Amino acid sequence: MLLGYGLVMAIAALGFNLLLGYTGLLSFGHSAFFGVGAYAVAMMVKYLKVGSMELFLLGAIAASAFTAALFGVVCVRYTRIFFGILTLALSQVLWSLAFKFFWVTGGTDGLRVPTPTLLGVMTGRGDKMDFIAHYYYYYILAAFFACVALMWVIVNSPFGKALQSIRDNEIRAEFVGVQVRRHRWVAFVVSGLFTGVAGALWVPLNGLITPENLHWTFSGKIVFMTVLGGFRAFPGPIVGAVLYTYLEAYAVGNTVYWQFVLGTVLVVLVLSLPTGVVGTAARLVERWRGREA
Amino acid sequence: MDFFYIHLLNAFLSAATLFLIAGGLSLIYGVMRIVNLAHGNLYAFGAYVTAWTLGRLLAGASTPILYLALPAGAVGAALLGAVLEPTLLRPFYKRAEEYQLLVTFGLLMILGDTMHFLWGPYPLSASALWENSGSVMIAGNPYPVYNLIVIAIGGVAAVFLWAFVYKTRFGVVLRATSQNMRMASALGVNVNRVYVLAFTLGCFMAGLGGAIIAPSQSAVLDMGVDALVLSFIVVVIGGLGSLEGALVGALIVGLVREAGIAWFPEIELAVLYLMAAIVLLARPAGLFGRAS
């Protein structure tokens, strides 16, 4: 089940890294898209009385794409620090709305989401653990592979190459004819979309959605995961997300000061392993191969 | 309408605290180009140190002594900052900005749990000072004298800082380093020392912000995280790197928040963030910021 969470967060991190690794924009507001996707699912349950996972995904995609498009228009005018601060602030707007409008969103109690139907089939009659461990896990796995494939195509397409050129040298990219702002905005929307899908997938795993998932510290977790795995490599965020999920579970399970542990890991990581786990592994492999030759 | 003055004073109260925190953040950014995500937790650290000093160490002491001990939090935060800067931040000046955000985020988590470890998960209160200062009648309503003192401290701090940055020799060095670090270094300024001092000063301000509200609001875990977002709003509105901006921004945020709490409690927070977004759209550098 932990792996299920890991895979879901991997989708989120994959989406996030489109912005960080490939476009060079560090967003501290991705919790907004995750939360919007998740709350969309919860709202669909609460108001539309819908129970199908496919409809959940559609709803989450629509909601997070809309949010990302809106936020993107404002945010892509800036880079670097201001981009980070602005994304943080905007995700906090959503957090505060979710927090205050408790008659809609359930406030800090959150909204419960019952087990949905997968592909129209009512599965795991009654037993939630059975559902999560088996049917839903394979569902997540399938979605994960789909997202990875999709992201791979995006990143290696001309669009993806254009993004990287913007990351490397914005002015030169503009001179070559790449429409910088438009590209950034599209990347922003796609990134938010992936994270929103992750949010929707996450909700049935967790059964409950609270405003905590909209708080900027949750965005920080997504950032942490991506950096842990290495944001310069494609598999980086995936490795990082899965690794982080286990790391967090281990830390939380073993000490009440788990934040300290994670914080130290992050600091050590940034100090000594800036390329993350994947990057460092790649470097070690290179050195090993070089020694052989 | 009698409550108007009370609300106004409350707005000034939050503005005073916000100015100290945001001013510190802005100062650190202006000189060192570092956005310190852990700044909120330095504010919380100051609050905890003061609460502990006043509540445990000096419990039962007379009011004037407690007042003298009030800046203990500020001093504590400043010392912490002086230790943190050379060890954790210096390796990152030459690296990309993203890494600083990451390391200060890690620092935020570390500091948060350090405070948890040192002072436990429950709020730490030191309300003797607040209670014993009595209250005064303003427009027919009682108002705590302590709050007025806090507003006064905020005002004095603003004046003191302005004088420090614009009238002293070190202030000139500070401004020179913030405008052009390499040139200042070429002219013989010891940039590393300036950085440490600037960071310490910023932490002192944040700690002072925490120290002055500790008696009235107790030190709680997570107060840092909440304060950080508000101080970001303040610097966005006022302009990163500008002390006047921090002051004006703090006043605006304080007033809007108070108005929000008084009349539209549901959207109070959302209005602030929206205001920040609007300011960013209209004047990207903030009201007083530089266009760098």
Side-chain angles (χ1 to χ4, degrees), chain A residues 78 86 93 257 259-260 270, chain B residues 95 102 113 266 268 273 280:
Chain A
Y78 307 97
L86 199 47
V93 176
Y257 300 115
Q259 270 199 324
F260 185 87
V270 185
Chain B
R95 310 216 349 221
L102 291 171
D113 260 5
E266 295 93 14
E268 157 234 334
Y273 300 124
L280 267 180

Side-chain angles (χ1 to χ4, degrees), chain A residues 87-98:
Chain A
T87 48
L88 197 155
L90 284 174
S91 74
Q92 283 295 109
V93 176
L94 290 185
W95 173 82
S96 67
L97 288 175

Side-chain angles (χ1 to χ4, degrees), chain B:
Chain B
M1 202 47 187
D2 307 323
F3 286 114
F4 175 75
Y5 290 107
I6 302 293
H7 282 311
L8 195 64
L9 284 173
N10 280 342
F12 285 144
L13 181 68
S14 40
T17 324
L18 278 174
F19 165 69
L20 286 170
I21 310 174
L25 193 68
S26 223
L27 184 73
I28 293 176
Y29 180 79
V31 176
M32 300 156 71
R33 299 289 184 280
I34 282 199
V35 175
N36 184 9
L37 284 179
H39 204 69
N41 275 354
L42 282 157
Y43 153 81
F45 187 77
Y48 265 105
V49 168
T50 299
W52 178 75
T53 311
L54 294 183
R56 299 281 162 82
L57 203 60
L58 294 175
S62 64
T63 312
I65 294 190
L66 289 180
Y67 269 113
L68 279 178
L70 197 59
V75 172
L79 286 173
L80 186 63
V83 165
L84 286 174
E85 195 272 346
T87 51
L88 277 182
L89 291 180
R90 202 169 285 173
F92 292 93
Y93 296 147
K94 307 238 188 316
R95 310 216 349 221
E97 271 174 350
E98 286 80 27
Y99 289 116
Q100 313 158 5
L101 281 180
L102 291 171
V103 83
T104 50
F105 184 68
L107 187 61
L108 177 150
M109 294 172 83
I110 294 179
L111 277 180
D113 260 5
T114 309
M115 290 189 292
H116 184 183
F117 177 72
L118 287 174
W119 288 296
Y122 302 109
L124 199 63
S125 72
S127 49
L129 195 56
W130 186 61
E131 287 160 6
N132 293 345
S133 301
S135 59
V136 91
M137 296 300 272
I138 297 187
N141 294 304
Y143 196 70
V145 168
Y146 184 75
N147 286 6
L148 296 172
I149 295 185
V150 167
I151 297 175
I153 294 181
V156 165
V159 170
F160 191 72
L161 271 162
W162 177 83
F164 185 74
V165 171
Y166 287 102
K167 296 287 177 190
T168 66
R169 207 181 141 266
F170 183 72
V172 173
V173 170
L174 205 67
R175 278 182 288 141
T177 316
S178 81
Q179 281 168 16
N180 195 329
M181 186 262 281
R182 291 188 207 283
M183 195 60 185
S185 176
L187 287 174
V189 170
N190 184 345
V191 172
N192 278 341
R193 244 189 88 227
V194 171
Y195 277 5
V196 171
L197 286 170
F199 193 74
T200 309
L201 184 59
C203 293
F204 180 84
M205 290 171 70
L208 187 61
I212 55 182
I213 64 112
S216 56
Q217 283 179 32
S218 323
V220 215
L221 291 177
D222 278 353
M223 66 192 294
V225 175
D226 297 331
L228 184 71
V229 187
L230 275 178
S231 55
F232 269 155
I233 310 266
V234 171
V235 296
V236 157
I237 293 180
L240 257 183
S242 155
L243 272 179
E244 313 86 66
L247 185 62
V248 170
L251 281 169
I252 294 179
V253 170
L255 286 165
V256 170
R257 257 198 106 190
E258 196 58 32
I261 292 178
W263 292 308
F264 307 107
E266 295 93 14
I267 57 170
E268 157 234 334
L269 284 173
V271 164
L272 273 175
Y273 300 124
L274 283 175
M275 222 169 48
I278 292 174
V279 169
L280 267 180
L281 283 174
R283 260 196 75 114
L287 295 174
F288 289 89
R290 283 162 283 162
S292 61

Side-chain angles (χ1 to χ4, degrees), chain A residues 212-233:
Chain A
E212 267 312 295
N213 293 98
L214 282 166
H215 201 264
W216 72 273
T217 42
F218 189 77
S219 301
K221 276 193 195 162
I222 301 181
V223 178
F224 191 153
M225 292 176 198
T226 313
V227 172
L228 178 63
F231 59 90
R232 287 279 170 163

